[in-house]
Amino acid sequence: MASRGLLIVAFHENYERVAAACARYTRQHTDLPLFVITNVAREARSSVWDDIPNVAFHMEAVDRDRNRDFKTRMADFTPFDETLYIDSDAAVMGPGIEHAFDLLADNDLALNHYVHWDEKIPIIYGKAMRMFGVAMPMSAYSGALIAFTQSPAARALFATWHDYWVRFGRGREMPCLACAVKNSPELRVGTFDEGFFAVDYMDASAVVQHNCEGFVDKIGSPLLQRWHPFDNVDDFSWTKL
């Protein structure tokens, strides 16, 4: 039987402490092993990890701006045959997370469909689409929840995603993910059911909840200090391709 587990990337102590709080909450609802890629040394990590069973760490002594480097290459680091990546500021809220792996029976990976555009798109997506030769219409996928296998097509997708992210300037990774998916015609992509993952608002019925208003109080997490030094003020203004 294929090995399965949850993967987290948590660079910098603030993100690592948020990840620990989320993992503590997640552990209430699943026994799946947790694998954490971090640049926080063992002696500096949150003590919360000590009370969470079945957690392993992969330590990388690099700067925090390398976090998306490892995220876009996570297929090279996961110890599992089938992996569910969850952002460091997201948590499993109730039973049912194992159903994410059902989508991998017939697919190379599974994504959360975030939004679809037929005409206008955010400027940052338009820049990526022009660079990588992608035409409208365009679908964007959440970078916060990704299930994947170790199939050749899945590994090729990660290689393309990483290459695009590097060429795009090593900033936001979601426009590059969308372009990589669209430029991978052999890739078999499943999508999580609507409501499985709550991204921008608290949803009591969601299996996985991403950080938003009310999340910190619910999880008992430190406040996340978001680190996006590469953002431009017009990135999410609207344009046409």
Side-chain angles (χ1 to χ4, degrees):
M1 183 176 178
S3 61
R4 293 174 170 176
L6 307 182
L7 174 68
I8 302 165
V9 177
F11 279 40
H12 188 263
E13 289 183 4
N14 176 241
Y15 277 78
E16 179 266 334
R17 278 154 174 71
V18 171
C22 291
R24 177 178 56 196
Y25 202 91
T26 289
R27 183 50 84 217
Q28 299 177 49
H29 305 293
T30 180
D31 294 326
L32 286 167
L34 300 175
F35 187 75
V36 184
I37 303 173
T38 185
N39 70 339
V40 179
R42 181 173 182 175
E43 60 274 13
R45 289 176 200 153
S46 170
S47 60
V48 170
W49 294 113
D50 297 337
D51 297 323
I52 304 173
N54 203 7
V55 181
F57 291 86
H58 175 84
M59 167 64 186
E60 291 283 345
V62 296
D63 291 338
R64 69 183 303 186
D65 61 3
R66 294 279 305 279
N67 64 329
R68 286 173 173 81
D69 182 350
F70 289 90
K71 180 175 180 178
T72 57
R73 293 189 296 131
M74 64 176 107
D76 293 335
F77 296 94
T78 179
F80 311 118
D81 300 318
E82 296 180 350
T83 303
L84 181 62
Y85 167 82
I86 300 181
D87 258 5
S88 58
D89 60 336
V92 177
M93 308 301 288
I97 191 63
E98 288 78 10
H99 294 308
F101 295 98
D102 294 343
L103 291 169
L104 300 180
D106 299 311
N107 296 291
D108 299 298
L109 77 164
L111 299 169
N112 184 69
H113 187 268
Y114 185 59
V115 66
H116 181 83
W117 300 296
D118 289 308
E119 297 180 3
K120 291 183 178 181
I121 53 172
I123 286 175
I124 191 171
Y125 276 83
K127 290 178 179 177
M129 292 168 71
R130 293 184 189 96
M131 179 176 288
F132 304 121
V134 175
M136 294 290 276
M138 183 55 145
S139 289
Y141 303 96
S142 302
L145 187 72
I146 302 173
F148 61 93
T149 68
Q150 286 290 332
S151 72
R155 293 189 64 83
L157 181 280
F158 279 100
T160 301
W161 184 18
H162 179 71
D163 175 61
Y164 284 6
W165 173 76
V166 170
R167 290 162 58 189
F168 198 54
R170 297 176 178 266
R172 284 191 176 265
E173 80 281 6
M174 280 177 56
C176 299
L177 173 61
C179 290
V181 170
K182 195 155 188 182
N183 281 343
S184 302
E186 303 301 318
L187 186 71
R188 299 173 302 165
V189 182
T191 54
F192 298 110
D193 291 341
E194 185 175 357
F196 185 86
F197 181 44
V199 181
D200 300 322
Y201 56 90
M202 292 294 291
D203 183 349
S205 64
V207 176
V208 183
Q209 177 68 58
H210 193 256
N211 191 2
C212 63
E213 185 176 356
F215 180 78
V216 166
D217 292 336
K218 177 71 175 178
I219 299 298
S221 163
L223 185 65
L224 183 69
Q225 300 167 3
R226 295 195 179 277
W227 190 73
H228 295 151
F230 38 72
D231 280 355
N232 297 308
V233 293
D234 64 343
D235 278 350
F236 291 95
S237 299
W238 292 100
T239 186
K240 287 190 175 182
L241 197 62

